[in-house]
Amino acid sequence: MYLVVGLGNPDKKYENTFHNMGFMCVDKFAEKLGATFDKGECRAITAHTRVKGEKVIIAKPITYMNLSGESLRELVNKYKIEKGNLVVVYDDVDLPMGSVRIRPNGSAGTHNGMRNIVQCLGTTDFVRIRVGIRKETPMQLVDFVLSKLSLDDKKTMEPVFENVAGALVDFVSGQDIEAVMRNHNVKL
């Protein structure tokens, strides 16, 4: 069984913002699998499907970004998810916009949502997909991550969403994380 979690903020006012990259990526992943977000559980909106006989749960926590770990802990405990079968997708302002960095584990870095997840799960041993959002802007960081993507930003990010969704499909299909990293990491 796999749990794929996209991070973001649930309110309508946060749709299409840089901080909701995780939501946008798992939306594309769910679309590829024909899965629908139609269930509310563990303070998340979830979609359930199967890939090669394995159950796949796709989740978007509704706890707001900085408390994402609370929802993840509930989901991991409810479904008894093994740490190697948990994937978290999120925005990363430390990476250039359009880059993708997949890792089998690692620190939370500067991301408050990831810090909360690491704290709540008590481990850094889970797959993470970081989606780069850094670009030149006069805005303060908090204003930037909550700002809407422009049309140009959306054009830049659409292939990124496709790439991340493809990486997720490969991973839940049983492909080794090293192969997923080789095939889908994008360094800019």
Side-chain angles (χ1 to χ4, degrees), residues 3-8 18-27 29 58-61 65 68 72 86-92 99-103 111 113-114 117 126-132 160-161 163-165 167-168 171:
L3 174 60
V4 176
V5 180
L7 300 188
F18 289 96
H19 223 17
N20 273 27
M21 286 292 155
F23 279 9
M24 291 183 255
C25 289
V26 298
D27 284 343
F29 173 55
I58 309 166
K60 298 191 290 187
M65 181 66 77
S68 299
L72 260 72
L86 169 62
V87 182
V88 179
V89 184
Y90 60 101
D91 64 283
D92 193 328
S99 60
V100 174
R101 181 124 353 121
I102 304 167
R103 293 287 179 264
H111 198 281
M114 284 298 289
I117 290 169
F126 55 88
V127 175
R128 70 269 331 274
I129 300 179
R130 297 163 49 201
V131 178
V160 174
F161 301 149
N163 180 40
V164 170
L168 291 167
F171 185 71

Side-chain angles (χ1 to χ4, degrees), residues 148-165:
K148 301 276 186 190
L149 277 71
S150 69
L151 287 175
D152 284 343
D153 294 334
K154 287 179 184 176
K155 284 180 189 170
T156 298
M157 294 310 295
E158 191 55 43
V160 174
F161 301 149
E162 286 289 338
N163 180 40
V164 170

Side-chain angles (χ1 to χ4, degrees), residues 5-152:
V5 180
L7 300 188
N9 288 307
D11 288 349
K12 202 107 171 114
K13 68 181 178 180
Y14 297 113
E15 283 182 6
N16 296 309
T17 63
F18 289 96
H19 223 17
N20 273 27
M21 286 292 155
F23 279 9
M24 291 183 255
C25 289
V26 298
D27 284 343
K28 182 61 77 175
F29 173 55
E31 179 185 310
K32 278 189 174 299
L33 298 180
T36 305
F37 287 95
D38 58 3
K39 189 171 181 181
E41 59 182 325
C42 302
R43 295 188 279 171
I45 299 166
T46 61
H48 293 239
T49 191
R50 288 195 173 277
V51 175
K52 293 191 172 183
E54 285 283 334
K55 184 167 187 158
V56 178
I57 302 159
I58 309 166
K60 298 191 290 187
I62 56 171
T63 52
Y64 292 93
M65 181 66 77
N66 293 349
L67 298 177
S68 299
E70 295 176 8
S71 174
L72 260 72
R73 179 177 50 212
E74 292 174 25
L75 287 162
V76 165
N77 290 337
K78 178 178 181 176
Y79 290 104
K80 313 261 185 287
I81 302 296
E82 296 175 28
K83 61 184 174 186
N85 290 354
L86 169 62
V87 182
V88 179
V89 184
Y90 60 101
D91 64 283
D92 193 328
V93 75
D94 294 328
L95 296 175
M97 189 163 142
S99 60
V100 174
R101 181 124 353 121
I102 304 167
R103 293 287 179 264
N105 54 38
S107 75
T110 61
H111 198 281
N112 289 331
M114 284 298 289
R115 285 183 185 154
N116 185 253
I117 290 169
V118 167
Q119 177 186 6
C120 288
L121 296 182
T123 185
T124 59
D125 288 334
F126 55 88
V127 175
R128 70 269 331 274
I129 300 179
R130 297 163 49 201
V131 178
I133 63 167
R134 185 181 70 228
K135 68 177 195 170
E136 291 297 317
T137 178
M139 287 188 258
Q140 293 293 316
L141 179 61
V142 68
D143 296 325
F144 170 66
V145 298
L146 297 177
S147 68
K148 301 276 186 190
L149 277 71
S150 69
L151 287 175
D152 284 343

